Amino acid sequence: MKGLIELVITVAIAVALALLIQAFIVKPYRIPSPSMVPTLDIGQRVLTNRLAGNPSVGDIEVFHPPHGADFDNPVCGDPNQGGQGGPNAEACDKPTPQESSQTFIKRVVGVPGDTIKIVNGMVYRNGVLEKESFPIQCGDTPSCNFGKPIKIPPGYYFMMGDNRGASDDSRFWGPVPSKWLIGTAFFTYWPPDRIGFL
């Protein structure tokens, strides 16, 4: 009987530790869309560091987007921005104030205070073309071009998918406040042939 009680206590402690780790330190996520191809495929699974703090440009973040991302035609907090894009268009620099219940995963391309414009899907940060080897180019269609620079507000992060032509991201619904960030993806564990650090 004593052995059974010890086993039950050990299992209970192990389950509690696993739940605490997932809730506060490391959380797994499944990639739901092609927006991060070729870096992450649909169905691929990643681990997220929930203690990572403020992300840097190039980090892959899991987060809740603004409520404007919940619609088939995303909504920017400033109706004169976002939209379908174009060489003289501005990406959205003001999200809607409500947090969405959805969970997204994208790459950080702009941090607080940065000036961002997008030309042919490529990011110009503070006037300099970012050296990005990972994105799938999306060409010169309107949604790939937001040629008029915007400034990222304090405490916000501008997110884009690596598959620039097939990503619903900050271009359309705005930057993400730091309080809606969940964590930084740092490791992929499924499928087995893609295991490794990000």
Side-chain angles (χ1 to χ4, degrees):
M1 186 67 175
K2 183 179 178 184
L4 179 61
I5 292 173
E6 287 178 358
L7 177 63
V8 168
I9 290 172
T10 302
V11 169
I13 290 171
V15 168
L17 284 173
L19 291 173
L20 284 170
I21 287 169
Q22 180 172 322
F24 298 106
I25 301 172
V26 175
K27 191 167 180 75
Y29 284 94
R30 181 184 168 278
I31 307 306
S33 77
S35 72
M36 284 298 292
V37 168
T39 308
L40 299 169
D41 289 327
I42 297 174
Q44 196 166 343
R45 296 178 186 269
V46 299
L47 294 177
T48 302
N49 179 358
R50 303 194 72 182
L51 301 176
N54 294 330
S56 301
V57 169
D59 286 348
I60 298 173
E61 286 293 306
V62 175
F63 59 93
H64 292 291
H67 180 61
D70 292 338
F71 307 100
D72 288 338
N73 292 318
V75 175
C76 179
D78 181 342
N80 297 315
Q81 294 178 324
Q84 296 304 309
N88 296 315
E90 292 176 302
C92 181
D93 73 352
K94 181 181 179 185
T96 57
Q98 299 86 17
E99 178 181 4
S100 171
S101 61
Q102 294 190 73
T103 302
F104 282 13
I105 184 166
K106 308 283 180 192
R107 191 177 296 275
V108 177
V109 299
V111 296
D114 281 347
T115 299
I116 298 288
K117 72 175 182 176
I118 296 105
V119 178
N120 297 333
M122 300 301 291
V123 175
Y124 285 77
R125 188 168 70 95
N126 302 321
V128 177
L129 175 64
E130 287 289 288
K131 294 177 181 175
E132 302 172 310
S133 58
F134 44 80
I136 292 178
Q137 303 310 316
C138 64
D140 60 359
T141 61
S143 64
C144 296
N145 288 282
F146 290 88
K148 194 171 178 182
I150 60 163
K151 188 163 186 175
I152 311 304
Y156 284 75
Y157 295 85
F158 200 86
M159 312 289 192
M160 288 177 69
D162 290 355
N163 188 357
R164 301 280 160 85
S167 177
D168 176 17
D169 55 37
S170 288
R171 290 174 285 180
F172 312 105
W173 37 255
V176 177
S178 59
K179 63 185 176 182
W180 296 349
L181 302 179
I182 296 169
T184 303
F186 68 95
F187 190 80
T188 177
Y189 65 94
W190 188 263
D193 63 341
R194 298 289 298 268
I195 288 175
F197 288 95
L198 296 170

